[in-house]
mmCIF file of all heavy atoms in Angstrom:
data_model
loop_
_atom_site.group_PDB
_atom_site.id
_atom_site.type_symbol
_atom_site.label_atom_id
_atom_site.label_comp_id
_atom_site.label_asym_id
_atom_site.label_seq_id
_atom_site.Cartn_x
_atom_site.Cartn_y
_atom_site.Cartn_z
ATOM 1 N N ALA A 152 3.950 13.926 10.673
ATOM 2 C CA ALA A 152 4.887 14.775 9.933
ATOM 3 C C ALA A 152 4.181 15.645 8.894
ATOM 4 O O ALA A 152 4.578 16.792 8.665
ATOM 5 C CB ALA A 152 5.944 13.912 9.249
ATOM 6 N N MET A 153 3.112 15.139 8.281
ATOM 7 C CA MET A 153 2.488 15.812 7.150
ATOM 8 C C MET A 153 1.247 16.628 7.510
ATOM 9 O O MET A 153 0.643 17.259 6.638
ATOM 10 C CB MET A 153 2.116 14.764 6.085
ATOM 11 C CG MET A 153 3.316 14.048 5.488
ATOM 12 S SD MET A 153 2.861 12.553 4.569
ATOM 13 C CE MET A 153 1.658 13.225 3.429
ATOM 14 N N THR A 154 0.865 16.633 8.788
ATOM 15 C CA THR A 154 -0.396 17.252 9.191
ATOM 16 C C THR A 154 -0.150 18.461 10.090
ATOM 17 O O THR A 154 0.739 18.441 10.945
ATOM 18 C CB THR A 154 -1.276 16.212 9.921
ATOM 19 O OG1 THR A 154 -1.424 15.054 9.073
ATOM 20 C CG2 THR A 154 -2.638 16.781 10.244
ATOM 21 N N ASP A 155 -0.957 19.504 9.913
ATOM 22 C CA ASP A 155 -0.782 20.720 10.707
ATOM 23 C C ASP A 155 -1.261 20.506 12.146
ATOM 24 O O ASP A 155 -2.083 19.624 12.427
ATOM 25 C CB ASP A 155 -1.528 21.894 10.073
ATOM 26 C CG ASP A 155 -3.018 21.641 9.938
ATOM 27 O OD1 ASP A 155 -3.729 21.707 10.948
ATOM 28 O OD2 ASP A 155 -3.475 21.371 8.806
ATOM 29 N N LEU A 156 -0.760 21.326 13.055
ATOM 30 C CA LEU A 156 -1.051 21.173 14.479
ATOM 31 C C LEU A 156 -2.541 21.243 14.815
ATOM 32 O O LEU A 156 -3.035 20.416 15.594
ATOM 33 C CB LEU A 156 -0.289 22.216 15.295
ATOM 34 C CG LEU A 156 1.141 21.841 15.695
ATOM 35 C CD1 LEU A 156 1.821 23.018 16.373
ATOM 36 C CD2 LEU A 156 1.127 20.631 16.619
ATOM 37 N N PRO A 157 -3.305 22.218 14.290
ATOM 38 C CA PRO A 157 -4.739 22.262 14.617
ATOM 39 C C PRO A 157 -5.472 20.965 14.271
ATOM 40 O O PRO A 157 -6.321 20.503 15.040
ATOM 41 C CB PRO A 157 -5.248 23.433 13.779
ATOM 42 C CG PRO A 157 -4.053 24.323 13.618
ATOM 43 C CD PRO A 157 -2.897 23.379 13.478
ATOM 44 N N THR A 158 -5.129 20.373 13.119
ATOM 45 C CA THR A 158 -5.780 19.118 12.720
ATOM 46 C C THR A 158 -5.359 17.977 13.639
ATOM 47 O O THR A 158 -6.182 17.127 14.017
ATOM 48 C CB THR A 158 -5.441 18.770 11.259
ATOM 49 O OG1 THR A 158 -5.858 19.847 10.411
ATOM 50 C CG2 THR A 158 -6.149 17.494 10.816
ATOM 51 N N LEU A 159 -4.091 17.956 14.007
ATOM 52 C CA LEU A 159 -3.612 16.920 14.931
ATOM 53 C C LEU A 159 -4.323 17.014 16.277
ATOM 54 O O LEU A 159 -4.730 15.996 16.851
ATOM 55 C CB LEU A 159 -2.100 17.033 15.128
ATOM 56 C CG LEU A 159 -1.213 16.672 13.931
ATOM 57 C CD1 LEU A 159 0.248 16.952 14.256
ATOM 58 C CD2 LEU A 159 -1.403 15.215 13.530
ATOM 59 N N LYS A 160 -4.472 18.241 16.760
ATOM 60 C CA LYS A 160 -5.140 18.431 18.045
ATOM 61 C C LYS A 160 -6.612 18.035 17.963
ATOM 62 O O LYS A 160 -7.168 17.464 18.906
ATOM 63 C CB LYS A 160 -4.989 19.884 18.492
ATOM 64 C CG LYS A 160 -3.566 20.220 18.922
ATOM 65 C CD LYS A 160 -3.420 21.681 19.327
ATOM 66 C CE LYS A 160 -2.002 21.986 19.781
ATOM 67 N NZ LYS A 160 -1.817 23.410 20.172
ATOM 68 N N ALA A 161 -7.246 18.328 16.827
ATOM 69 C CA ALA A 161 -8.659 17.965 16.641
ATOM 70 C C ALA A 161 -8.845 16.453 16.623
ATOM 71 O O ALA A 161 -9.892 15.937 17.026
ATOM 72 C CB ALA A 161 -9.187 18.577 15.341
ATOM 73 N N ASN A 162 -7.807 15.734 16.169
ATOM 74 C CA ASN A 162 -7.883 14.267 16.084
ATOM 75 C C ASN A 162 -7.119 13.582 17.216
ATOM 76 O O ASN A 162 -6.803 12.395 17.126
ATOM 77 C CB ASN A 162 -7.320 13.796 14.736
ATOM 78 C CG ASN A 162 -8.226 14.135 13.575
ATOM 79 O OD1 ASN A 162 -9.436 13.939 13.647
ATOM 80 N ND2 ASN A 162 -7.651 14.657 12.498
ATOM 81 N N TYR A 163 -6.884 14.321 18.294
ATOM 82 C CA TYR A 163 -6.079 13.802 19.398
ATOM 83 C C TYR A 163 -6.633 12.478 19.942
ATOM 84 O O TYR A 163 -5.876 11.518 20.143
ATOM 85 C CB TYR A 163 -6.004 14.828 20.534
ATOM 86 C CG TYR A 163 -5.314 14.293 21.768
ATOM 87 C CD1 TYR A 163 -3.926 14.334 21.878
ATOM 88 C CD2 TYR A 163 -6.040 13.716 22.816
ATOM 89 C CE1 TYR A 163 -3.277 13.834 22.995
ATOM 90 C CE2 TYR A 163 -5.407 13.204 23.932
ATOM 91 C CZ TYR A 163 -4.027 13.262 24.016
ATOM 92 O OH TYR A 163 -3.388 12.748 25.122
ATOM 93 N N ALA A 164 -7.923 12.424 20.199
ATOM 94 C CA ALA A 164 -8.512 11.218 20.797
ATOM 95 C C ALA A 164 -8.311 9.995 19.899
ATOM 96 O O ALA A 164 -7.949 8.912 20.385
ATOM 97 C CB ALA A 164 -9.995 11.442 21.076
#
Side-chain angles (χ1 to χ4, degrees):
M153 296 165 54
T154 306
D155 59 75
L156 274 174
T158 302
L159 291 175
K160 289 178 179 179
N162 289 315
Y163 174 85

